[in-house]
Amino acid sequence: MRLATAANEAYTASLAVSELLGCKQCGGGRGQDEELGIRIPRPLGHGPSRFIPEKEILQVGSEDAQMHALFADSFAALGRLDNITLVMVFHPQYLESFLKTQHYLLQMDGPLPLHYRHYIGIMAAARHQCSYLVNLHVNDFLHVGGDSKWLNGLENAPQKLQNLGELNKLLAHRPWLITKEHIEQLLKAEEHSWSLAELVHAVVLLTHYHSLASFTFGCGISPEIHCDGGHTFRPPSVNNYCICDITNGNHSVEENQVNSAGNVSISDSFFEVEALMEKMRQLQECRDEEEASQEEMASRFEIEKRESMFVFSSDDDEVTPAREISRHFEDTSYGYKDFSRHGMHVPTFRVQDYCWEDHGYSLVNRLYPDVGQLIDEKFHIAYNLTYNTMAMHKDVDTSMLRRAIWNYIHCMFGIRYDDYDYGEINQLLDRSFKVYIKTIVCTPEKVTKRMYDSFWRQFKHSEKVHVNLLLIEARMQAELLYALRAITRYMT
């Protein structure tokens, strides 16, 4: 659907910038910035995403009243249409649920004061070095009356928030290590203690922003124009095209180089789609003919869990966080480590013993009314969302593929579904896709455009955004399961 009026207005500012800067080739808007006596920045990037061409995002279908209302509501609630929203517009049903949930978490009645909510968002985003989200919530934190001294570093925040640092660290990187003792330390910290309701609100916020950091990096979200890295005062190079080309998304030299390089593998990527379709047909036939035993299913889970530890990227170098980000969290060297390496053994988390539907949902809804319902709706929309298409194919049942993606993520977190045959994962998810998934979910700050481009090469950008929605919701649910199970064990 075409972006509604409010969304188009968000881009008008960047177009106005080019007019004021002027165009040396077409002569438009000469010298107006000098006459005004001010320096006017231009957007440093080309649209909301570094991975997705701007023109594709701006031309998503056709405008209708529902989308117009959705953008208007978003703008009214946040005072902006951020780049995350503008990329999620590929999937309006999910976007509506996402915005509703985020609005409730940040602005509606709840256990935590507003400035605490934004500060927790900063803490969570900082763990993944997500400057995009940190910048947004620094502004929001100050807007709702937060103390600017807290922004100098976590040690300047109240002890109560500092105590949340350990849970933030474990949830972001190794949630399987969370125990009821971690919960007890937060709830029994004397004058700095958390109530159960406050802690559930905090846990939901932490998991929400860890996952949103994954989406931000996974879709290559560009910085907002008013944030660091989102603008520049330097005029662009005009070797082969004018400034108007840049603001209109006609990045001729850069795009032609990319396209000519990409055309080499078009036939190969076409056959990849056909091979994936064939594997899905074969797996469905095998399902119909025979069903693996429980022992075999358990064995296949353990094999897949072990294999997931050996999926890593060639770009797997450490990313050193900048000081303005690292000051918002402690233990900067702590990061993701596979749960069974170095002699560690973490027991399998069996969904039949503790699941979101039967346990987590009710606990969240009891302690933070209505949020459980909102999160549950968001999970279901992401998991069940389908247009029955795969690249150039239509009328395709994609449920098998969606379930493989979701269960692979939970498998990486040590979470097992007894009724799922984990042998399907290796059939449906190739290595480049697994590398992308694991990077997005475990170390999103290391995602590159090369990773994004290398999986499902014939698939549309909207389908890749859909993959990211599956990844972030599966990740959020996995984190929540470990945290909520620990809270439940403390309560019982």
Side-chain angles (χ1 to χ4, degrees):
M1 297 170 197
R2 190 178 303 277
L3 300 187
T5 304
N8 289 327
E9 288 173 355
Y11 281 96
T12 302
S14 64
L15 297 177
V17 167
S18 68
E19 293 172 4
L20 288 168
L21 282 174
C23 176
K24 294 181 181 178
Q25 291 190 30
C26 71
R30 281 189 291 266
Q32 292 184 41
D33 55 331
E34 295 176 7
E35 293 174 14
L36 292 171
I38 58 173
R39 299 176 70 211
I40 300 174
R42 65 178 175 86
L44 197 57
H46 308 308
S49 166
R50 293 178 291 108
F51 297 171
I52 306 170
E54 179 181 15
K55 56 190 176 185
E56 288 205 27
I57 296 173
L58 287 171
Q59 296 171 359
V60 184
S62 58
E63 181 180 331
D64 67 9
Q66 178 193 5
M67 281 309 301
H68 189 105
L70 182 56
F71 277 107
D73 289 346
S74 174
F75 193 84
L78 298 173
R80 62 175 180 264
L81 279 173
D82 58 36
N83 288 338
I84 287 176
T85 301
L86 295 172
V87 171
M88 282 186 182
V89 72
F90 279 114
H91 304 287
Q93 184 187 8
Y94 175 86
L95 175 60
E96 183 173 12
S97 177
F98 170 85
L99 291 174
K100 193 192 310 179
T101 303
Q102 184 167 263
H103 176 68
Y104 197 96
L105 289 174
L106 292 176
Q107 296 179 273
M108 300 298 285
D109 289 343
L112 294 174
L114 298 184
H115 63 302
Y116 265 51
R117 304 181 196 192
H118 290 292
Y119 196 82
I120 290 169
I122 293 168
M123 291 173 63
R127 280 261 41 132
H128 282 308
Q129 305 163 41
C130 187
S131 57
Y132 175 89
L133 290 174
V134 170
N135 285 332
L136 284 185
H137 285 281
V138 162
N139 291 332
D140 291 340
F141 171 77
L142 295 172
H143 181 70
V144 297
D147 187 342
S148 60
K149 293 177 183 176
W150 298 10
L151 301 176
N152 293 330
L154 184 58
E155 68 276 6
N156 296 290
Q159 187 62 46
K160 183 173 179 175
L161 284 168
Q162 292 184 45
N163 292 347
L164 197 63
E166 181 72 8
L167 186 62
N168 181 27
K169 178 177 79 173
L170 293 177
L171 272 175
H173 306 300
R174 307 175 204 175
W176 47 85
L177 297 181
I178 296 172
T179 66
K180 67 178 182 180
E181 284 72 30
H182 292 110
I183 305 303
E184 184 175 20
Q185 288 171 10
L186 289 166
L187 297 176
K188 294 188 174 180
E190 297 178 354
E191 70 268 26
H192 307 299
S193 64
W194 292 75
S195 70
L196 271 172
E198 288 174 333
L199 184 57
V200 166
H201 192 170
V203 163
V204 172
L205 283 167
L206 290 172
T207 58
H208 176 80
Y209 282 104
H210 293 156
S211 300
L212 198 53
S214 285
F215 184 86
T216 301
F217 286 113
C219 290
I221 301 296
S222 301
E224 303 294 329
I225 188 172
H226 64 282
C227 293
D228 291 343
H231 62 270
T232 182
F233 288 98
R234 294 171 55 193
S237 169
V238 289
N239 291 338
N240 296 304
Y241 48 91
C242 68
I243 294 171
C244 293
D245 285 328
I246 294 171
T247 55
N248 288 324
N250 302 322
H251 323 307
S252 54
V253 176
E254 178 185 348
E255 285 191 356
N256 286 339
Q257 289 172 346
V258 172
N259 289 339
S260 62
N263 286 338
V264 176
S265 61
I266 283 179
S267 59
D268 289 342
S269 57
F270 173 81
F271 287 118
E272 287 173 4
V273 178
E274 297 303 311
L276 179 56
M277 293 280 291
E278 180 59 28
K279 286 176 183 175
M280 289 170 62
R281 281 191 289 269
Q282 291 174 358
L283 285 172
Q284 187 58 56
E285 289 174 5
C286 290
R287 276 185 185 177
D288 296 339
E289 291 174 6
E290 59 179 327
E291 188 173 315
S293 66
Q294 282 298 312
E295 292 76 13
E296 181 63 23
M297 301 264 258
S299 174
R300 290 174 184 175
F301 169 80
E302 293 300 327
I303 291 170
E304 189 58 50
K305 189 172 72 168
R306 281 196 303 274
E307 287 186 358
S308 74
M309 293 189 295
F310 299 102
V311 173
F312 58 90
S313 163
S314 58
D315 302 327
D316 203 15
D317 298 324
E318 288 301 317
V319 180
T320 304
R323 168 59 190 156
E324 60 267 22
I325 302 299
S326 63
R327 64 188 174 190
H328 297 300
F329 64 95
E330 300 171 320
D331 199 356
T332 56
S333 64
Y334 193 93
Y336 173 80
K337 287 285 188 297
D338 290 307
F339 48 74
S340 293
R341 287 211 172 153
H342 310 299
M344 287 183 58
H345 176 70
V346 177
T348 295
F349 187 124
R350 299 182 68 196
V351 171
Q352 71 176 45
D353 298 329
Y354 194 97
C355 67
W356 166 256
E357 289 80 5
D358 296 336
H359 306 94
Y361 167 82
S362 58
L363 178 62
V364 171
N365 239 26
R366 177 152 47 96
L367 294 170
Y368 188 7
D370 298 327
V371 166
Q373 178 65 38
L374 290 168
I375 296 172
D376 187 64
E377 176 186 280
K378 188 158 61 73
F379 286 157
H380 279 283
I381 289 174
Y383 186 89
N384 295 312
L385 185 65
T386 183
Y387 305 95
N388 299 113
T389 60
M390 274 182 59
M392 69 293 292
H393 295 280
K394 297 181 179 179
D395 301 318
V396 181
D397 180 357
T398 62
S399 57
M400 178 185 293
L401 188 56
R402 284 180 277 121
R403 189 177 186 192
I405 293 169
W406 188 281
N407 286 3
Y408 179 60
I409 294 161
H410 281 198
C411 179
M412 289 192 301
F413 282 84
I415 298 172
R416 181 191 164 206
Y417 294 81
D418 286 352
D419 62 346
Y420 183 69
D421 181 356
Y422 286 84
E424 294 185 3
I425 289 174
N426 272 339
Q427 295 291 314
L428 297 174
L429 312 183
D430 64 25
R431 180 169 179 77
S432 63
F433 193 15
K434 284 186 172 182
V435 167
Y436 180 77
I437 291 173
K438 187 170 183 179
T439 308
I440 291 290
V441 172
C442 303
T443 54
E445 60 276 9
K446 297 180 181 178
V447 173
T448 64
K449 187 175 188 299
R450 183 188 60 77
M451 291 182 199
Y452 176 89
D453 291 337
S454 67
F455 83 91
W456 284 8
R457 288 174 290 176
Q458 275 288 304
F459 283 70
K460 303 182 186 76
H461 287 290
S462 61
E463 291 172 310
K464 292 195 173 191
V465 172
H466 184 192
V467 166
N468 274 277
L469 299 182
L470 275 171
L471 303 190
I472 67 172
E473 294 302 336
R475 176 191 177 167
M476 181 175 180
Q477 188 177 99
E479 287 189 29
L480 278 174
L481 284 173
Y482 278 108
L484 296 173
R485 185 181 67 170
I487 292 174
T488 299
R489 286 177 173 176
Y490 167 80
M491 292 171 66
T492 55

